[in-house]
Amino acid sequence: MLRKGVTESFGAAIHALGASHLTDGVIRRSKRMMLDTLGVGLLGTRTDVFDKALKYSQVHSMDFDDTWYPATHPSGAVLASLLALAEVTPTTPSGVELLLAFNVGIEVQGRLLRFSREAFDIPKRFHPPSVVGVMGSTAACAKLLGLSSRQCANALAIAACSAGAPLANAATQTKPLHMGYAAQRGLEAARLAQAGLEGNPAILDVEHGFGVYYEDYNPSAMTLPGVGGSGWVLEEQDVAFKRIPAHLGMHWVVDAALTARAKIPNLDVSQIKRITLKVPPSKYIDCAFPTTEHQARHSFQFNACSAILDAGMSVESFSKAQRERQDLKELLGKVEVHVPGDNLASFDKMYSEVVIETNQGESFSAKCDTFYGHWRKPLRQEDLVDKFMANASFVLSSEGAVGLLDTIGNIETEKECTALHSYLKLTTEQRDRRYGLRTWSQSG
């Protein structure tokens, strides 16, 4: 039986959360998320998707942003909407106000994801950022606008009417729009609630409300971190940062492929007889012969073969020139995909195993159950900074990139967040370059 007052508790918590509730661990992790998201968003402005959809999809257009557990991309929708809102508020928010609003948006997503056991599996029906991302964006904007408890609850109800996107659009140019729409509609929901628009005051309580997205929906009231034994979800559960712009599941198979390849002296790919991939069940990331950039980002086969062929992966790996190489196509034809019964469809429990067999009868294999960048094996700060600087340098001048890096690093001490917008405008004349990120090889 569903408990009553869940929506009311969320509205009250969003309103009541203050800077004093932030912990050192949450501040540190959220600043890493903000930095990574800004870098990915800047690089995303150089994609075909961005050119076609303009500003709606710049954060997620390369499938390069952070991933949480249960599965979603938590930062993109929240930070994009906050940066837009901060430019038009009558009073410029301080850095700590922006940081608090960001964490409120992340926290709301984490709480909502825990209302369902189904959410802990690799998605099957809808893309999670389109559902919880819009709610997180709404909560963050409501916080930055200083809405009342009732207005916050109404904002969530308004946002729920525009949540949801079918997973069938994954591996297409439409997928990036999910994040852009979540940011846009979350901001709109908060502004509409501020203007007095009302929604169902029990939107999170009832099965025909937010419960329509989960068959096993079981909501509970939201308490303030530190009250009743609860803490920040972000402190309990770190995020994963991607080293290559591809679906998170690809990172397991790339690490396994690189490890297996390193065992083969003087590799001649023409002598490879068969490549066997042992992966979890997931139809939308099983694409034997991808013909587009976005299909390649969602293909176990493509990512394994690219890693084996090049001994590393980079942004350029997904370019048309790299995808259409004849030796890569021949290698793709040698791949077999197996789904062992013990390989669970969960980003916390899955593994990938790659077996490379040669025409000489030799076999080389490697298994990865935790890739570098996973929340159990976090990216070192220096590698996160390297990723940001490489991404940002395609759009920003050196002064802009370094300025953003320093501003995010000290965001809680900034009296105004105007510096972020100022540095984002310091573009470089080299914006037409599309690629050049460091290659992540076995040594990475």
Side-chain angles (χ1 to χ4, degrees):
M1 181 177 180
L2 300 179
R3 299 184 180 95
K4 295 181 179 180
V6 175
T7 310
E8 182 181 1
S9 74
F10 269 68
I14 293 169
H15 172 74
L17 278 166
S20 62
H21 291 101
L22 294 172
T23 64
D24 290 343
V26 163
I27 290 173
R28 178 180 60 82
R29 286 182 173 177
S30 59
K31 288 197 294 188
R32 281 166 57 89
M33 295 162 71
M34 293 171 73
L35 181 69
D36 186 66
T37 302
L38 283 172
V40 170
L42 287 164
L43 182 62
T45 65
R46 312 310 302 148
T47 65
D48 290 338
V49 173
F50 181 81
D51 291 340
K52 292 176 180 178
L54 298 178
K55 296 181 179 180
Y56 287 105
S57 57
Q58 61 181 318
V59 172
H60 190 72
S61 61
M62 299 194 73
D63 229 310
F64 210 0
D65 42 344
D66 57 23
T67 306
W68 216 6
Y69 181 73
T72 196
H73 304 290
S75 299
V78 173
L79 188 57
S81 59
L82 286 177
L83 288 176
L85 182 59
E87 284 196 289
V88 297
T89 51
T91 303
T92 303
S94 68
V96 75
E97 287 172 331
L98 188 74
L99 183 67
L100 174 62
F102 178 82
N103 276 288
V104 168
I106 300 301
E107 182 70 14
V108 164
Q109 293 180 75
R111 298 291 184 105
L112 293 175
L113 286 167
R114 280 156 177 75
F115 289 171
S116 165
R117 294 187 302 276
E118 176 190 353
F120 285 80
D121 297 331
I122 294 177
K124 298 178 182 178
R125 296 181 292 116
F126 59 82
H127 192 210
S130 70
V131 174
V132 296
V134 68
M135 307 300 276
S137 171
T138 300
C141 291
K143 186 63 189 178
L144 199 64
L145 288 169
L147 300 192
S148 67
S149 298
R150 184 176 179 181
Q151 288 174 320
C152 289
N154 279 323
L156 294 175
I158 297 166
C161 73
S162 59
L167 202 55
N169 272 325
T172 75
Q173 288 190 332
T174 298
K175 182 186 179 185
L177 296 178
H178 300 169
M179 191 69 79
Y181 286 147
Q184 173 195 2
R185 291 166 180 169
L187 193 159
E188 290 176 348
R191 294 296 293 266
L192 287 169
Q194 184 185 40
L197 193 69
E198 297 181 346
N200 190 316
I203 196 71
L204 301 181
D205 300 70
V206 293
E207 291 178 350
H208 59 289
F210 198 74
V212 300
Y213 298 106
Y214 301 100
E215 295 178 355
D216 59 347
Y217 187 65
N218 183 28
S220 59
M222 180 175 177
T223 57
L224 296 179
V227 177
S230 68
W232 292 92
V233 177
L234 183 58
E235 199 156 36
E236 168 195 332
Q237 177 63 63
D238 201 355
V239 300
F241 293 106
K242 296 181 178 181
R243 292 147 43 213
I244 56 171
H247 182 277
L248 192 71
M250 304 303 107
H251 290 68
W252 278 270
V253 78
V254 166
D255 274 18
L258 290 174
T259 302
R261 186 195 193 283
K263 297 178 180 180
I264 308 175
N266 303 316
L267 175 67
D268 180 354
V269 293
S270 67
Q271 295 302 306
I272 293 178
K273 177 182 179 181
R274 179 168 47 242
I275 300 172
T276 302
L277 308 181
K278 299 179 181 180
V279 296
S282 183
K283 294 181 180 179
Y284 84 102
I285 48 178
D286 179 2
C287 184
F289 296 97
T291 58
T292 69
E293 175 184 356
H294 290 272
Q295 287 179 354
R297 299 188 196 282
H298 294 74
S299 168
F300 282 126
Q301 297 90 330
F302 176 87
N303 283 270
C305 289
S306 292
I308 292 169
L309 184 61
D310 300 327
M313 294 286 286
S314 71
V315 173
E316 191 175 4
S317 300
F318 303 90
S319 68
K320 184 176 181 180
Q322 294 296 94
R323 296 196 317 270
E324 294 184 350
R325 291 176 294 170
Q326 187 58 37
D327 50 0
L328 178 60
K329 292 181 179 179
E330 291 176 2
L331 212 54
L332 285 169
K334 300 177 181 181
V335 176
E336 294 182 3
V337 175
H338 295 174
V339 181
D342 67 340
N343 202 348
L344 303 179
S346 163
F347 290 140
D348 203 48
K349 300 177 182 178
M350 65 172 280
Y351 67 85
S352 287
E353 187 172 354
V354 175
V355 182
I356 304 173
E357 299 174 70
T358 68
N359 292 328
Q360 291 74 36
E362 298 174 299
S363 179
F364 304 89
S365 65
K367 180 178 179 180
C368 175
D369 59 14
T370 305
F371 67 87
Y372 177 49
H374 191 276
W375 43 85
R376 289 194 300 267
K377 194 175 181 181
L379 276 187
R380 294 182 293 270
Q381 183 66 15
E382 56 265 34
D383 285 334
L384 188 72
V385 169
D386 283 348
K387 176 187 173 182
F388 167 78
M389 292 299 291
N391 287 344
S393 67
F394 280 93
V395 179
L396 300 183
S397 65
S398 176
E399 180 185 357
V402 172
L404 274 183
L405 178 64
D406 291 342
T407 300
I408 292 296
N410 299 284
I411 189 69
E412 69 273 33
T413 66
E414 295 285 330
K415 293 182 179 180
E416 292 185 346
C417 62
T418 51
L420 286 176
H421 296 103
S422 297
Y423 287 125
L424 284 168
K425 295 175 182 177
L426 295 179
T427 57
T428 175
E429 294 298 320
Q430 300 178 5
R431 291 179 53 143
D432 290 335
R433 295 182 306 163
R434 291 185 64 87
Y435 300 111
L437 265 179
R438 65 178 285 189
T439 295
W440 293 87
S441 62
Q442 187 59 34
S443 62

